Amino acid sequence: MSLVCMIIPCYNEANRLPADAFIAYLNRVPSVQLCFVNDGSQDDTQAVLERLQQQYPGRIEVLNLATNQGKAGAVRAGMLHCSDQAFDYLGYLDADLATPLDAIGDLQTVLNQQPMLDLVMGSRIKFLGADIRRDAFRHYVGRVIATFISNILKLPVYDTQCGAKLFRRGVVSGLFTEPFISPWLFDVELLARLIRQHGRAAVPVHAAEVPLRQWIEQSDSRISPTYMFKMWYELYRIHQTYRNAG
C-alpha cells in the first residue's frame, strides 16, 4: 500500500476549517496522513489544529510558522518538512476542501499506474458527470490567466492553479528547495522547474493533469482583489527567471 502525506496550508482557518471532514476521511483511508501548516495565523487556528492532532496523533502533524509566508511558503515548508519521512507520495490540498479529500485517491491511482510521472495535478474541467461549481466571472478571468500561463510555459496545460497536486517523494527536494517568487503562482514555477530539469518536450512524460470529479468554489477567498494587478508582474518575473529553461 502506497503511503501518502498531504500538506494543508492554513491561514486564519479557525472558523471555517472542516475538521469533521478530515477526521471522517482518516477513519476511512488508513494510507493517508495530513500535515497542517499554520501559516502565522492571527486567530485560533493553532488551537483548532492542535485539537485535531490530539484526536489522531499518529496521522496528523501540525507545523507552526511564526510569521505568514503566503501559500507558497507554507506549502514549501510542509513539503520539505515531510520529504525525509517514509512516504511514497507527497501533495497539497486547500484547507477549505473545495477539492474533496476523495480526490487524493484519484491522483494516487494515476501515479501508481504511470511510474514515469513525477507530478499529477487536479484540473477543474466542467464536463458531463463532473460536479464543478465556479463563479462565472472568476471562471472566465481564470481562463484568460490560464491561457497566458500556458503561453509563458509553452505547454498545453489547462489548469495550473487548482489546489490539488500529488508528487513522488523523490522529486520534492529538487522542486521545493528554492523559495518561490510568487506567493500564489508557485504552481507555475513548479512546472517551470520541471522544464528546467527535464526539458520542455519531456514534461508531459513527467507531469499530467487529471480532471476532478468534484470542485466547489468557496466564497471566503484568501486572495485580495487587488492582487490581480500584482499577479501580472509576478508572471513577468517568473517568465524572466525561467525563460532559458528547457
Side-chain angles (χ1 to χ4, degrees):
M1 184 191 317
S2 298
L3 295 179
V4 178
C5 181
M6 297 301 293
I7 310 303
I8 314 293
C10 299
Y11 178 67
N12 291 347
E13 299 285 352
N15 295 322
R16 75 166 193 168
L17 190 77
D20 291 344
F22 286 109
I23 292 298
Y25 180 79
L26 291 179
N27 286 334
R28 289 191 293 110
V29 184
S31 61
V32 175
Q33 297 187 31
L34 303 174
C35 177
F36 291 91
V37 181
N38 176 26
D39 187 20
S41 297
Q42 303 297 308
D43 63 358
D44 293 329
T45 294
Q46 181 174 342
V48 170
L49 295 179
E50 288 174 352
R51 285 196 296 270
L52 264 178
Q53 186 179 30
Q54 290 169 6
Q55 294 183 62
Y56 246 131
R59 305 273 304 283
I60 292 177
E61 186 171 4
V62 177
L63 178 62
N64 289 303
L65 303 183
T67 58
N68 180 254
Q69 304 293 312
K71 183 179 178 182
V75 168
R76 176 174 173 264
M79 294 290 277
L80 293 176
H81 178 74
C82 297
S83 63
D84 61 351
Q85 300 180 37
F87 299 111
D88 298 288
Y89 306 133
L90 288 166
Y92 54 90
L93 205 66
D94 290 337
D96 60 12
L97 295 185
T99 304
L101 288 160
D102 284 337
I104 298 170
D106 296 334
L107 302 180
Q108 181 181 353
T109 296
V110 176
L111 286 179
N112 287 341
Q113 293 175 347
Q114 300 186 49
M116 288 295 293
L117 287 177
D118 295 327
L119 161 64
V120 177
M121 310 185 296
S123 191
R124 298 164 293 185
I125 302 174
K126 196 166 188 175
F127 59 93
L128 290 175
D131 182 16
I132 307 297
R133 306 182 211 172
R134 303 186 68 180
D135 174 81
F137 176 76
R138 288 187 180 182
H139 169 69
Y140 290 118
V141 170
R143 293 315 312 144
V144 172
I145 296 168
T147 301
F148 193 78
I149 289 171
S150 181
N151 289 334
I152 286 178
L153 294 171
K154 298 179 183 176
L155 288 175
V157 58
Y158 181 83
D159 188 7
T160 60
Q161 299 312 111
C162 177
K165 293 181 174 64
L166 193 64
F167 302 77
R168 292 194 192 278
R169 181 171 62 91
V171 305
V172 166
S173 59
L175 293 176
F176 286 87
T177 296
E178 297 176 51
F180 294 103
I181 292 170
S182 169
W184 294 105
L185 298 172
F186 68 99
D187 309 82
V188 181
E189 291 184 70
L190 286 168
L191 287 173
R193 291 174 184 183
L194 275 178
I195 293 171
R196 188 171 61 189
Q197 285 185 11
H198 301 291
R200 184 170 282 102
V203 167
V205 176
H206 295 277
E209 289 185 271
V210 175
L212 296 174
R213 289 183 287 168
Q214 185 179 60
W215 190 89
I216 301 175
E217 185 168 319
Q218 305 300 309
S219 59
D220 187 13
S221 174
R222 292 296 189 253
I223 301 178
S224 165
T226 60
Y227 177 73
M228 293 294 293
F229 301 100
K230 187 178 179 181
M231 176 196 69
W232 297 108
Y233 175 63
E234 291 179 355
L235 280 174
Y236 170 76
R237 288 184 61 204
I238 291 170
H239 174 64
Q240 290 298 103
T241 301
Y242 296 98
R243 62 182 175 178
N244 295 322

